[in-house]
Coordinates of all heavy atoms in Angstrom, one line a residue:
K653 N -106.9 100.5 108.7 CA -106.9 100.0 110.1 C -105.5 100.2 110.7 O -104.5 100.2 110.0 CB -107.2 98.5 110.1 CG -106.2 97.6 109.3 CD -106.7 96.2 109.3 CE -105.7 95.3 108.6 NZ -106.2 93.9 108.6
A665 N -90.2 94.8 105.8 CA -89.3 93.8 105.2 C -89.8 93.2 103.9 O -89.1 93.0 103.0 CB -89.2 92.7 106.3
A678 N -86.1 96.5 86.5 CA -86.8 97.7 86.1 C -86.1 99.0 86.6 O -86.4 100.1 86.0 CB -88.2 97.7 86.8
P700 N -94.6 125.1 87.4 CA -93.5 126.0 86.9 C -92.1 125.7 87.5 O -91.1 126.2 86.9 CB -94.0 127.4 87.2 CG -95.1 127.2 88.3 CD -95.7 125.9 88.1
E703 N -89.0 124.7 85.4 CA -88.2 125.6 84.7 C -86.9 126.0 85.5 O -85.9 126.5 84.9 CB -89.0 126.9 84.4 CG -90.2 126.6 83.6 CD -91.1 127.9 83.4 OE1 -90.6 129.0 83.7 OE2 -92.3 127.7 83.1
K704 N -86.9 125.8 86.8 CA -85.8 126.2 87.7 C -85.0 125.1 88.2 O -83.8 125.2 88.4 CB -86.4 127.1 88.9 CG -87.2 128.3 88.4 CD -87.8 129.0 89.6 CE -88.7 130.2 89.2 NZ -89.3 130.8 90.4
A714 N -86.9 111.6 81.8 CA -86.6 110.2 82.0 C -87.8 109.3 82.3 O -87.7 108.1 81.9 CB -85.6 110.0 83.1
A750 N -92.9 119.7 73.8 CA -92.7 119.4 72.3 C -91.2 119.1 72.1 O -90.9 118.3 71.2 CB -93.1 120.7 71.6
W763 N -113.8 125.0 86.0 CA -113.9 124.5 87.4 C -114.6 125.5 88.2 O -114.4 126.7 88.1 CB -112.5 124.2 87.9 CG -112.4 123.5 89.2 CD1 -113.3 122.8 89.9 CD2 -111.2 123.5 90.1 NE1 -112.8 122.3 91.1 CE2 -111.5 122.7 91.2 CE3 -110.0 124.1 90.0 CZ2 -110.6 122.5 92.2 CZ3 -109.0 123.8 91.0 CH2 -109.4 123.0 92.1
P768 N -111.0 133.6 89.6 CA -110.7 134.9 90.2 C -111.9 135.7 90.7 O -113.0 135.6 90.1 CB -110.0 135.6 89.0 CG -109.5 134.5 88.2 CD -110.5 133.4 88.3
V776 N -124.7 137.7 86.2 CA -124.9 136.4 85.5 C -124.8 136.5 84.0 O -124.1 135.7 83.4 CB -126.3 135.8 85.9 CG1 -126.6 134.6 85.0 CG2 -126.2 135.4 87.4
Y794 N -104.9 126.5 71.6 CA -104.2 125.2 71.7 C -104.8 124.1 70.9 O -104.5 122.9 71.1 CB -104.2 124.8 73.2 CG -103.3 125.8 74.0 CD1 -104.0 126.7 74.9 CD2 -102.0 125.9 73.9 CE1 -103.3 127.7 75.6 CE2 -101.2 126.8 74.7 CZ -101.9 127.7 75.5 OH -101.1 128.6 76.2
A835 N -119.8 123.5 78.2 CA -118.4 123.6 78.0 C -117.8 122.6 77.0 O -117.0 122.9 76.2 CB -117.7 123.3 79.4
T846 N -108.4 117.2 69.8 CA -108.0 117.0 71.2 C -109.1 116.1 71.9 O -110.3 116.3 71.7 CB -107.9 118.3 72.0 OG1 -106.8 119.0 71.3 CG2 -107.5 118.1 73.4
L850 N -113.8 114.4 81.2 CA -114.5 114.9 82.4 C -113.7 114.4 83.6 O -113.5 113.2 83.8 CB -115.9 114.3 82.4 CG -116.8 114.6 83.6 CD1 -117.1 116.1 83.7 CD2 -118.1 113.8 83.4
N851 N -113.2 115.3 84.4 CA -112.3 114.9 85.5 C -112.9 115.0 86.9 O -113.6 116.1 87.2 CB -111.0 115.8 85.4 CG -109.9 115.3 86.2 OD1 -109.5 114.1 86.1 ND2 -109.2 116.1 87.1
E856 N -112.8 107.3 94.9 CA -112.2 106.2 95.5 C -112.7 105.9 96.9 O -112.7 104.8 97.5 CB -110.7 106.4 95.6 CG -110.0 106.6 94.3 CD -110.1 108.1 93.9 OE1 -110.3 109.0 94.7 OE2 -109.9 108.3 92.7
V865 N -120.7 110.8 94.6 CA -119.9 111.2 93.5 C -120.0 110.2 92.4 O -120.2 110.5 91.2 CB -118.4 111.5 93.8 CG1 -117.5 111.6 92.6 CG2 -118.3 112.8 94.7
R867 N -122.4 108.0 91.8 CA -123.7 108.0 91.2 C -123.9 109.2 90.3 O -124.4 109.1 89.2 CB -124.8 108.0 92.3 CG -125.0 106.8 93.1 CD -126.2 106.8 94.0 NE -126.1 107.8 95.0 CZ -125.7 107.6 96.3 NH1 -125.2 106.4 96.6 NH2 -125.7 108.6 97.2
D926 N -100.5 110.4 103.3 CA -100.0 109.5 104.3 C -100.1 110.1 105.8 O -99.4 109.6 106.7 CB -98.5 109.3 104.0 CG -97.6 110.6 104.1 OD1 -98.2 111.7 104.3 OD2 -96.4 110.5 104.0
D937 N -93.3 104.6 104.2 CA -93.1 104.4 102.8 C -93.6 103.0 102.3 O -94.2 102.9 101.2 CB -91.6 104.5 102.4 CG -91.1 105.9 102.3 OD1 -92.0 106.9 102.4 OD2 -89.9 106.1 102.1
A941 N -96.6 102.4 99.6 CA -96.4 101.5 98.5 C -97.5 100.4 98.4 O -98.0 100.1 97.4 CB -95.0 100.9 98.5
E942 N -97.8 99.9 99.6 CA -98.8 98.8 99.6 C -100.1 99.4 99.2 O -100.9 98.7 98.4 CB -98.9 98.2 101.0 CG -99.9 97.1 101.2 CD -100.2 96.7 102.6 OE1 -100.3 97.6 103.5 OE2 -100.3 95.5 102.9
L965 N -94.0 114.6 90.7 CA -93.2 113.4 90.8 C -92.4 113.2 92.1 O -92.2 112.1 92.5 CB -92.2 113.4 89.6 CG -92.7 112.9 88.3 CD1 -91.6 113.1 87.2 CD2 -93.2 111.5 88.3
S970 N -95.1 118.2 96.1 CA -96.5 117.8 96.2 C -97.3 119.0 96.8 O -96.8 119.7 97.7 CB -96.6 116.6 97.1 OG -97.9 116.4 97.5
K978 N -97.2 125.4 104.9 CA -98.0 126.6 105.3 C -98.6 126.5 106.6 O -98.7 127.5 107.4 CB -99.1 126.8 104.2 CG -98.6 127.3 102.9 CD -99.7 127.4 101.8 CE -99.2 127.9 100.5 NZ -100.2 127.9 99.4

Side-chain angles (χ1 to χ4, degrees):
K653 63 182 181 181
E703 299 172 21
K704 302 175 182 178
W763 187 21
V776 167
Y794 295 104
T846 300
L850 178 64
N851 196 49
E856 303 82 20
V865 168
R867 289 191 295 268
D926 65 353
D937 280 355
E942 180 191 42
L965 279 174
S970 168
K978 287 177 182 176

